[in-house]
């Protein structure tokens, strides 16, 4: 079997040789940032938006990425080329780097950078017509005053605890509320509500990651002659929604058919959700930065 080629600190290495130190603070303390990016049909989708967020996340934690944006751009494209892929997933990670024990970032001389380009396991196609069963979980979204949910950091325990609670319930995704009880987001997806023809999504300040797919929904809505409003949403708003859908790089745009035992709308993908899915797929096939 052909090994994946991984970019690691300036070199392309075979996957079995792509190793980081047990003293890397990304591992020891979750000190680092990452991006998950998709490429479709030989083009990197929303590439600039992902690079913008990566550099913003790094800035927010005072981590200087040792590659210029232009070099990072090329490294990502070259990683996909090395693996001869046309459709798949890129994981771009920058950690604080290797350092002595003790959480002080000053112990780390040089950030670790690696890029994985691989294929992605997708949700089964039926979920895009039938929808997902989701729940709200007891674990609250971490507050912006603690760790801003806008930072795409290597600290995912908050989300993982929510995921575990979802697994216990048998849910396919789970919704976190913030400390005020407003809907924040899902474990790895943003959420949208359709009610009486209007479309709503939580404010980023309610604890949502500024999702790249979330932002694309605003553009698609404009193109569709619709409008999305940011709002404080409660569980009640979810229960009585006409339609609910999730967005994320991995999930794309996917309907929800049930929340906490309440059937949503028709109990399958509704018309507005299907319209977003159609427009989203057109964008994935027709836009992006050419790789080859
Ligand atoms: N909220 C959270 C907490 C996320 O982690 C999103 C929303 C959606 O954002 P984007 O920019 O993707 O529209 C995410 C994204 C993975 C993986 O491998 C996770 C994400 C994206 C891609 C892959 O777990 N999270």
């Amino acid at each position: 079997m052909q090994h994946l080629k991984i970019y690691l600190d300036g070199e392309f290495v075979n996957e079995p040789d792509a190793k980081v130190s047990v003293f890397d603070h990304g591992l020891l303390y979750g000190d680092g940032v990452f991006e998950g990016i998709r490429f479709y049909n030989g083009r990197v989708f929303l590439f600039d938006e992902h690079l913008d967020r990566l550099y913003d996340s790094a800035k927010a934690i005072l981590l200087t990425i040792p590659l210029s944006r232009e070099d990072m751009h090329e490294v990502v494209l070259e990683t996909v080329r090395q693996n001869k892929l046309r459709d798949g997933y890129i994981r771009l990670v920058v950690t604080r780097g290797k350092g002595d024990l003790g959480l002080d970032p000053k112990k780390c001389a040089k950030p670790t950078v690696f890029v994985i380009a691989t294929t992605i396991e997708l949700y089964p196609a039926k979920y895009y017509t039938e929808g997902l069963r989701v729940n709200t979980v007891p674990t609250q979204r971490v507050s912006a005053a603690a760790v801003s949910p806008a930072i795409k950091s290597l600290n995912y325990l908050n989300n993982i605890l929510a995921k575990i609670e979802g697994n216990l319930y048998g849910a396919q995704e789970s919704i976190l509320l913030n400390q005020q009880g407003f809907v924040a987001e899902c474990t790895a997806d943003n959420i949208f509500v359709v009610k009486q023809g209007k479309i709503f999504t939580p404010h980023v300040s309610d604890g949502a990651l500024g999702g790249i797919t979330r932002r694309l929904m605003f553009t698609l809505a404009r193109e569709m002659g619709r409008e999305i409003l940011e709002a404080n949403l409660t569980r009640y708003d979810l229960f009585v929604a006409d339609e609910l859908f999730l967005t994320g790089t991995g999930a794309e745009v996917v309907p929800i058919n049930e929340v906490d035992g309440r059937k949503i709308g028709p109990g399958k993908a509704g018309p507005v959700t299907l319209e977003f899915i159609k427009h989203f797929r057109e964008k994935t096939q027709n836009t992006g930065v050419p790789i080859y």
Side-chain angles (χ1 to χ4, degrees):
M1 194 195 111
Q2 191 78 21
H3 288 300
L4 281 181
K5 290 275 186 210
I6 312 290
Y7 173 87
L8 175 59
D9 291 335
E11 290 179 275
F12 289 98
V13 296
N14 287 323
E15 188 270 329
D17 303 319
K19 294 177 180 161
V20 296
S21 168
V22 294
F23 286 97
D24 195 293
H25 281 211
L27 173 64
L28 288 174
Y29 303 109
D31 186 358
V33 295
F34 78 101
E35 276 300 320
I37 310 171
R38 288 283 284 274
F39 51 102
Y40 298 91
N41 199 20
R43 282 189 284 236
V44 181
F45 192 51
L46 301 171
F47 194 13
D48 281 331
E49 289 81 349
H50 282 284
L51 285 178
D52 283 345
R53 188 171 63 187
L54 178 77
Y55 281 81
D56 283 351
S57 293
K59 184 176 185 188
I61 67 164
L62 283 168
L63 172 65
T64 305
I65 297 178
L67 276 77
S68 69
R69 233 191 105 113
E70 293 68 40
D71 288 350
M72 186 66 91
H73 189 270
E74 184 51 31
V75 159
V76 169
L77 294 180
E78 186 55 28
T79 307
V80 182
R81 289 182 202 125
Q82 292 271 331
N83 292 285
K84 302 184 178 65
L85 295 167
R86 291 189 61 81
D87 290 271
Y89 176 72
I90 297 156
R91 169 60 60 95
L92 170 42
V93 181
V94 185
T95 80
R96 191 73 66 179
K98 187 178 164 185
D100 289 343
L101 294 178
L103 56 80
D104 192 341
K106 287 207 296 282
K107 294 173 185 293
C108 306
K110 186 170 71 59
T112 303
V113 180
F114 59 88
V115 183
I116 303 167
T118 185
T119 51
I120 182 167
E121 199 188 318
L122 304 169
Y123 275 137
K126 66 170 187 175
Y127 287 159
Y128 294 87
T129 50
E130 291 175 15
L132 304 179
R133 181 166 170 264
V134 309
N135 67 338
T136 58
V137 294
T139 293
Q140 290 175 344
R141 191 73 177 106
V142 70
S143 89
V147 180
S148 171
I151 302 172
K152 201 158 167 64
S153 83
L154 297 181
N155 282 261
Y156 259 60
L157 257 193
N158 181 223
N159 313 55
I160 290 165
L161 288 173
K163 186 78 200 166
I164 290 167
E165 289 159 358
N167 288 345
L168 291 171
Y169 181 86
Q172 284 130 359
E173 241 295 18
S174 297
I175 299 163
L176 296 104
L177 309 179
N178 67 18
Q179 290 173 1
Q180 288 72 48
F182 293 122
V183 175
E185 62 175 342
C186 301
T187 67
D189 301 293
N190 293 109
I191 186 163
F192 290 78
V193 173
V194 182
K195 181 72 176 174
Q196 291 169 344
K198 294 205 182 75
I199 308 162
F200 303 92
T201 195
H203 296 281
V204 169
S205 57
D206 272 336
L209 179 74
I212 306 293
T213 323
R214 175 187 185 276
R215 184 146 22 109
L216 177 62
M217 294 303 110
F218 286 79
T219 308
L220 295 184
R222 261 196 311 280
E223 291 173 9
M224 287 156 50
R226 295 185 182 275
E227 191 189 3
I228 298 174
L229 303 167
E230 294 179 302
N232 301 127
L233 301 168
T234 64
R235 290 175 76 223
Y236 172 81
D237 297 312
L238 304 181
F239 298 157
V240 302
D242 296 331
E243 299 179 36
L244 294 176
F245 63 90
L246 305 180
T247 66
T249 298
E252 305 180 323
V253 182
V254 55
I256 293 171
N257 63 35
E258 187 189 317
V259 179
D260 296 340
R262 283 80 164 178
K263 277 266 169 280
I264 301 305
K268 60 181 178 141
V272 177
T273 305
L274 288 171
E275 204 182 336
F276 275 101
I277 291 174
K278 177 169 168 282
H279 283 79
F280 175 83
R281 288 187 175 158
E282 279 169 18
K283 287 278 185 226
T284 64
Q285 291 309 308
N286 301 320
T287 64
V289 175
I291 300 165
Y292 298 97

